[in-house]
Amino acid sequence: MTQQSRPSPSPRPAIVGHRGASAHAPENTLSAFRRALEDGAQLLECDVHLSADGEVVVMHDETIDRTAAADSPLRSGAIGDLTRAELDTVLLEGGERIPSLAELLEMTTAPVFIEVKVAAAAKAVAELLQGLPAGTPAADSTVISFHVDALAEIRRATDTPVSYLVEQVDEQAIATARELGRQGWAPRSTGSAWVRRAACMRPG
């Protein structure tokens, strides 16, 4: 009697530093990303917006209001209305500053999930990705977004993988997924535990 071979175990989910190690350092700061890498993160996740003068900056919210420190010279305002020079004056907790996506991509030793929070940032993100040296960890990054048009812009300009996110599977999400399927997109699993209530897709 031949011995049945056991099925190979499923691969373990990757460890993702969501906004960096945000439990140990201010979220979406270089310190948080460094700590995540030191703690063994295999991937990083960040959120990006576009400043008034066209620089891609790393921050989750549309404004600086929640994360600016009490002693920050500038404590309120929309990122899209502020220049990079103005954002450089913002102090976060622990004396941290708002990083640019370029700074993160230069320092990371792991690929990054780059969530484009506003569609207007997609072109600038694509330009940064185009300039990355092949074979570097940052060059293996993935762009994720709730904005299909932002992902389409990335795909037109780069070979970077993209994933479409939805908050919940409702009629609108299903209709969008069907339309993406007609356009040649295919379901994709990121294998990342941090993606909650998200349907991830990419062009096939």
Side-chain angles (χ1 to χ4, degrees), residues 117-152:
K117 303 295 283 189
V118 291
K123 183 177 180 181
V125 170
E127 290 172 354
L128 285 172
L129 294 171
Q130 282 179 306
L132 294 174
T136 60
D140 288 331
S141 296
T142 297
V143 175
I144 61 179
S145 185
F146 293 94
H147 304 287
V148 175
D149 48 347
L151 299 177

Side-chain angles (χ1 to χ4, degrees), residues 90-104:
V90 178
L91 282 179
L92 307 177
E93 292 299 327
E96 293 294 321
R97 303 279 182 169
I98 300 171
S100 67
L101 178 59
E103 290 173 315
L104 171 56

Side-chain angles (χ1 to χ4, degrees), residues 5 17 25 40-41 44 55-56 58 80 107-108 113 115 121 142 148 151 160 164-165 175-176 186:
S5 60
L44 299 177
E55 181 153 2
V56 185
V58 179
M107 63 78 63
T108 186
F113 281 124
E115 182 176 343
T142 297
V148 175
L151 299 177
T160 301
Y164 171 58
L165 307 179
T176 302

Side-chain angles (χ1 to χ4, degrees), residues 145-146 148 163-170 172-174 176-177 180 195-201:
S145 185
F146 293 94
V148 175
S163 290
Y164 171 58
L165 307 179
V166 296
E167 284 287 352
Q168 58 187 9
V169 181
D170 54 18
Q172 179 60 49
I174 292 170
T176 302
L180 291 174
V195 182
R196 294 178 296 116
R197 299 170 300 152
C200 300
M201 306 186 73

